Amino acid sequence: DRGQTENPQDNTQIKEIIDKLELAMIGQGTTARLDGKWELVWASEDVTRSSPFFWAFRQAYPDNADQVYAITDSIPGQLKEIGRAVQNISGAEGPGEGSLESRVVIRALPGTP
């Protein structure tokens, strides 16, 4: 469930741990350490928005993003299934360098042939 159905106290604790880790890594020259394959195991918002596409959409259309997200959020769970979410990062030598490939498995009408 990637944090989507956990209780708010658990999510608050996870966010605090992530914030501490991020602060500890500032100035450590760790960008290249990001190279590799990463699977999303926790997200602070709906997993369908845990991709660069939805991030970029919110940046481009900040006044309309929530309206569009409300449409996708209203699709009943029995009509959609969100599978693995993986990102491949390569060549991350510094800010603005390298590549990011994001893959999310989405199934419409799961369980149907």
Side-chain angles (χ1 to χ4, degrees):
D1 69 1
R2 300 179 189 103
Q4 303 307 300
T5 60
E6 296 297 324
N7 70 53
Q9 183 179 359
D10 287 345
N11 283 336
T12 298
Q13 289 176 335
I14 291 170
K15 286 179 188 177
E16 288 172 359
I17 291 168
I18 290 169
D19 289 344
K20 288 178 184 178
L21 286 169
E22 288 176 343
L23 284 173
M25 300 312 288
I26 291 175
Q28 299 294 315
T30 58
T31 310
R33 294 182 190 172
L34 294 174
D35 279 1
K37 186 174 185 176
W38 297 84
E39 183 168 355
L40 178 68
V41 294
W42 186 85
S44 60
E45 58 183 317
D46 188 82
V47 68
T48 59
R49 290 194 282 284
S50 299
S51 75
F53 170 80
F54 283 101
W55 177 87
F57 186 85
R58 183 177 295 282
Q59 299 304 306
Y61 305 101
D63 297 332
N64 302 91
D66 287 334
Q67 293 169 337
V68 172
Y69 297 161
I71 294 168
T72 59
D73 290 349
S74 67
I75 299 171
Q78 56 273 44
L79 298 180
K80 68 177 179 181
E81 180 181 308
I82 310 300
R84 265 182 105 201
V86 177
Q87 292 185 335
N88 290 309
I89 301 173
S90 62
E93 298 299 324
E97 296 180 12
S99 66
L100 169 68
E101 175 189 13
S102 185
R103 294 179 179 254
V104 179
V105 175
I106 300 173
R107 292 180 193 89
L109 302 172
T112 59

